[in-house]
Each structure stands twice: as C-alpha cells, then as structure tokens.
Amino acid sequence: MSDARRAAELEAIRRKLVPLAAYRQLLNGPEQVSDWMLVDQSMIDTFADATRDHQFIHVDRQRAESETPFGGTIAHGFLTLSLLSALAFDAMPGVERTRMGVNYGFERVRFLSPVKSGARVRGKFRLVGLTERAVSIQSAWDTVVEVEGMVKPAIEAHWITLALIDPNAPLADSK
C-alpha cells in the first residue's frame, strides 16, 4: 500500500472518531447503515484462493448455473461475514483515543441467503451492549448483511468488538 493511500485511510479513521459520550448515545438507538458494496467474481475468486475453498458453487459459473438452484456462482458465507469489517468501517464511528480495534467474537451467526456474484450488499449495525473498562470498550452489535433487491438478508449475527483505549492520548477536539 502506498504511503499516500495509508495516510488517506488514517485520516478517514480520524474523521470518524467521536467522544465516548456521543458513542454511548448509540446504545439501543437507530441502526447505522453502510453504503452498498459490490461482491463480484474477482472478490469471490480471491477469497477462494486465500481459503483454498474452490468448491464449484463459488468459482465455476457454468456448473453453478446448471447444477445449483442459485443460477450462478455465490460468495462464500465466510466471505460475506468477513465483509462486516469493511461495512462497519463505512457505517459506524469509532471512539476517540482508540489505539486499535479487534474482533472479540460472535454470539451467533446465521447464513440466511446466498450472495450471488455481482450482487451488492450493505451492513446494518445496532449497538445493543456496551461494557466500559479503564483501557477498553466492548461493544455488542446486532448486525445484518442485506442483499440489494432481496427481502431475506444474507447474514444476521450478534457481533462483539473491542476498542483498546489509550487513556493518555489527547482528545481530538483539544488538538
């Protein structure tokens, strides 16, 4: 990744940081919704290579069209699940003084419908739990990955994230 691109990503992260008081107001509030993201065959093939999961339903268009009810290739369920990070970054603010964020886990994940190659997905996130500690904030999110034009979502999950806080870092407003 180029230095310019990395600097732009860091600036995008910085712009999305909010004070802890504002973050607390998200608890049991409205959903945070991402923009739509295209899931194309190139993304599916790259994921197949990374995970060594080359099942024909993901990578062989002709077989998927003729041998499945999907009408073509579909994204891996774990690919769709992994997109939560990018969708969340687009939709949700971070907390000031966060030095890093990590996935803590999932209470449940349900794969409800396939994501066909060429479909667009978006994430919906609702903060339903918040545990504050001296150096971390644990957030619990009810999440949904929607597929454009479909009634049934691709995924529903209860996702837990952890923001590790630097209590000595300056607040964004004090710079």
Side-chain angles (χ1 to χ4, degrees):
M1 176 185 307
S2 72
D3 289 343
R5 183 172 173 193
R6 180 68 182 141
E9 285 185 3
L10 290 172
E11 177 59 22
I13 291 168
R14 190 190 67 72
R15 283 194 314 266
K16 293 188 71 144
L17 297 177
V18 298
L20 180 55
Y23 190 80
R24 285 182 188 124
Q25 292 177 359
L26 297 175
L27 186 60
N28 297 314
E31 290 178 320
Q32 308 296 303
V33 182
S34 75
D35 289 335
W36 292 102
M37 175 185 287
L38 177 66
V39 179
D40 61 13
Q41 192 61 48
S42 174
M43 180 187 286
I44 295 168
D45 291 343
T46 300
F47 190 85
D49 289 342
T51 60
R52 299 180 184 173
D53 180 353
H54 294 94
Q55 186 178 179
F56 79 94
I57 64 175
H58 306 302
V59 298
D60 187 332
R61 184 182 55 79
Q62 290 178 334
R63 276 190 73 192
E65 284 176 358
S66 65
E67 297 180 33
T68 74
F70 308 125
T73 57
I74 60 170
H76 305 71
F78 285 141
L79 166 56
T80 306
L81 184 67
S82 71
L83 293 177
L84 282 175
S85 292
L87 298 170
F89 176 77
D90 184 55
M92 302 182 315
V95 179
E96 286 179 342
R97 299 181 175 181
T98 296
R99 60 184 179 90
M100 77 176 80
V102 295
N103 290 312
Y104 191 74
F106 290 89
E107 292 294 328
R108 69 177 158 70
V109 176
R110 296 293 180 265
F111 299 99
L112 302 174
S113 65
V115 175
K116 294 179 182 181
S117 177
R120 294 191 329 157
V121 298
R122 73 175 176 187
K124 290 187 172 183
F125 307 88
R126 186 164 179 266
L127 183 63
V128 295
L130 190 61
T131 303
E132 297 178 40
R133 296 182 183 93
V135 294
S136 69
I137 299 170
Q138 182 176 305
S139 301
W141 300 91
D142 279 344
T143 63
V144 174
V145 177
E146 293 185 325
V147 182
E148 189 173 39
M150 301 277 294
V151 173
K152 195 175 192 179
I155 291 176
E156 289 182 354
H158 184 80
W159 183 24
I160 303 168
T161 61
L162 192 65
L164 302 176
I165 304 299
D166 181 352
N168 299 317
L171 294 172
D173 294 339
S174 65
K175 291 180 182 175

